[in-house]
Amino acid sequence: MGNLQFKDKLAVTCCWVASFWFLGAGWYDFFNSQSSISNLAISTGVAITLFSAGLIPKLFFMPFKSAFTEIQSPILVNAETQVYLTLGGIVISSIGLGVQLLT
């Protein structure tokens, strides 16, 4: 992470702070205000997705067209782990949203 520019470090910090904020707020609501498990799943999935988005900070500063064509390598982990984190967060959020819509 030492080879990142200031704007990249700022993007990582913002994503990770927002991720932990979502995770903390979701768990706090679940334990204190007795919110449903679907709300907890949604906030946990969003937190995981934001955390994994923070692993590729250069993605936020490139043109939209090239964001889908060029492959950026994530920091701290390999690319396969980052993809699994992103998909896991999306799946958890989707399950929570589906349960919430069905009830």
Side-chain angles (χ1 to χ4, degrees):
M1 197 152 132
N3 59 352
L4 294 177
Q5 298 177 354
F6 176 74
K7 65 180 182 176
D8 296 332
K9 289 180 183 179
L10 188 64
V12 169
T13 304
C14 288
C15 281
W16 288 357
V17 165
S19 170
F20 289 119
W21 182 268
F22 268 103
L23 191 63
W27 281 95
Y28 179 81
D29 284 344
F30 180 71
F31 285 123
N32 289 333
S33 66
Q34 305 300 328
S35 67
S36 64
I37 193 79
S38 62
N39 287 341
L40 178 64
I42 292 171
S43 63
T44 303
V46 168
I48 292 171
T49 305
L50 276 173
F51 184 82
S52 67
L55 293 174
I56 305 180
K58 298 197 183 299
L59 185 69
F60 296 108
F61 303 108
M62 58 189 330
F64 191 70
K65 275 185 158 181
S66 62
F68 292 108
T69 58
E70 296 178 15
I71 297 174
Q72 295 291 323
S73 62
I75 59 170
L76 302 176
V77 296
N78 61 10
E80 188 175 320
T81 305
Q82 192 273 334
V83 168
Y84 286 140
L85 279 172
T86 303
L87 291 177
I90 291 171
V91 166
I92 291 170
S93 294
S94 299
I95 290 170
L97 187 61
V99 168
Q100 194 171 29
L101 289 175
L102 292 176
T103 57

